[in-house]
Amino acid sequence: MVKTAWKQTKASDAVFWVLDASKCFLYGDYMPPSPELDGVSIGAVVEDSWWLHPELAEELAFLRKLKRSNMKVSVVLNKVDLLRDMAVDVEDFTLKMREQLSSDLGRTQDGEEILDNIWPTSVLKDPVSLAPIKRWLCENLPKQSPIYPLENISDVPARVVASEITREKLFGVLREEVPYHLTVVNAVWRQEPDGKLLLGQKVVVATEGQSRIVRAWLRQITEDAEREISGTLNFGRSVELHFQVQVDPKWAENEEYYEDVQGLLDRSGSLAFP
């Protein structure tokens, strides 16, 4: 999934990197750029020293990928309300982060700074702080006619919604590691003349143990999933769900599961899954 997301950045009009301001304040500046003794440098400069605290490992990985991408990046410095709770001057810290990020991200092959903008925000506590980002998007992104009809409430195809409804129901009953190691793929989608929807879905998991757990719960969630799919997608008409549980240890590394989000449909296949 992450690989697919990184591939899409090349075709993006804007790239945003969201950072947790409180993490940067608490764990940043962990190491000096070079070892010092009594204020005198005594060793070689350490690359990306500011991000080397273990709590910033994910941020460091993103930093290095962004440096290699040769694309301009805007940073959203979120959760600044936590800085205020720690009596940190948000404006001063934002200036420090701009200087640090500008230095660590470096420049593109054309000599331009990779860091384009930095916005301090608090999405949860201060939604108004997002206004500068929205304004920048309106002023800088390409203008075009709507891709989808204005009356549409979602750009998600019905088949995606159906698989996500089933996945959500499974997430609600499964515990520990299983929920996030499964995906749901529509294998059969058949509309009967009377409006009844016959839907066959494959639930893909990583291990045999997970498959046994999922099979045990599928009967429990089927009626609830059918009811929601009926009301959401089939105008209240009947829905009949059938499932097949499939084990694929490396499904999460298979790009097909992310590129074909509508499902690998087989209109001729049998709904009587083994």
Side-chain angles (χ1 to χ4, degrees):
M1 186 183 297
V2 174
K3 289 179 182 177
T4 303
W6 275 109
K7 284 182 179 179
Q8 298 308 312
T9 59
K10 295 294 184 183
S12 300
D13 294 311
V15 177
F16 288 78
W17 183 21
V18 182
L19 283 170
D20 183 329
S22 63
K23 279 183 66 175
C24 292
F25 174 75
L26 291 171
Y27 308 118
D29 206 13
Y30 176 60
M31 288 181 62
S34 61
E36 294 182 355
L37 181 62
D38 296 331
V40 178
S41 177
I42 59 171
V45 174
V46 178
E47 186 181 5
D48 302 328
S49 61
W50 203 81
W51 306 89
L52 289 181
H53 191 283
E55 289 291 338
L56 292 174
E58 186 175 1
E59 287 79 5
L60 174 59
F62 268 82
L63 175 83
R64 290 176 172 168
K65 281 182 175 288
L66 290 168
K67 288 168 71 171
R68 294 194 297 267
S69 69
N70 196 43
M71 297 179 298
K72 296 181 76 65
V73 176
S74 292
V75 169
V76 179
L77 194 62
N78 195 32
K79 300 186 181 180
V80 296
D81 56 287
L82 298 180
L83 295 183
R84 296 190 181 101
D85 293 343
M86 294 184 281
V88 176
D89 187 306
V90 171
E91 187 174 345
D92 285 349
F93 186 71
T94 302
L95 290 173
K96 178 183 177 182
M97 285 297 298
R98 171 176 280 283
E99 182 180 349
Q100 192 67 57
L101 285 162
S102 179
S103 172
D104 289 341
L105 284 169
R107 296 179 176 273
T108 67
Q109 293 174 2
D110 298 328
E112 297 182 349
E113 283 196 4
I114 289 178
L115 179 63
D116 199 4
N117 304 283
I118 182 167
W119 290 290
T121 66
S122 175
V123 175
L124 184 62
K125 299 293 181 66
D126 183 17
V128 177
S129 64
L130 296 173
I133 301 176
K134 295 177 181 178
R135 184 164 53 249
W136 184 90
L137 288 169
C138 290
E139 292 173 353
N140 290 274
L141 291 193
K143 294 178 174 61
Q144 62 180 32
S145 300
I147 298 175
Y148 302 98
L150 295 177
E151 63 271 14
N152 282 14
I153 60 172
S154 173
D155 63 351
V156 180
R159 293 195 292 269
V160 177
V161 176
S163 63
E164 284 301 299
I165 287 173
T166 300
R167 194 162 175 253
E168 179 189 23
K169 301 304 177 188
L170 285 169
F171 275 29
V173 296
L174 295 172
R175 298 292 182 269
E176 297 178 2
E177 82 283 356
V178 178
Y180 307 106
H181 286 78
L182 69 83
T183 190
V184 179
V185 178
N186 295 298
V188 180
W189 183 288
R190 188 177 302 151
Q191 198 87 40
E192 297 289 275
D194 62 357
K196 181 178 183 179
L197 177 62
L198 302 180
L199 180 57
Q201 295 181 331
K202 291 182 180 179
V203 182
V204 185
V205 295
T207 69
E208 286 291 345
Q210 291 172 354
S211 73
R212 289 191 292 270
I213 295 171
V214 168
R215 285 190 180 96
W217 281 104
L218 277 174
R219 290 183 181 179
Q220 307 279 350
I221 62 98
T222 298
E223 185 176 342
D224 197 13
E226 288 175 339
R227 187 183 304 110
E228 186 165 340
I229 293 171
S230 170
T232 304
L233 303 175
N234 206 34
F235 304 100
R237 296 174 299 193
S238 178
V239 172
E240 186 176 311
L241 266 174
H242 297 261
F243 297 106
Q244 177 188 46
V245 181
Q246 178 179 323
V247 177
D248 182 353
K250 295 186 176 181
W251 75 261
E253 301 173 21
N254 188 342
E255 293 185 13
E256 289 185 4
Y257 287 106
Y258 310 112
E259 292 175 346
D260 186 9
V261 294
Q262 295 195 49
L264 308 172
L265 296 184
D266 178 9
R267 295 183 181 275
S268 64
S270 171
L271 282 170
F273 287 130

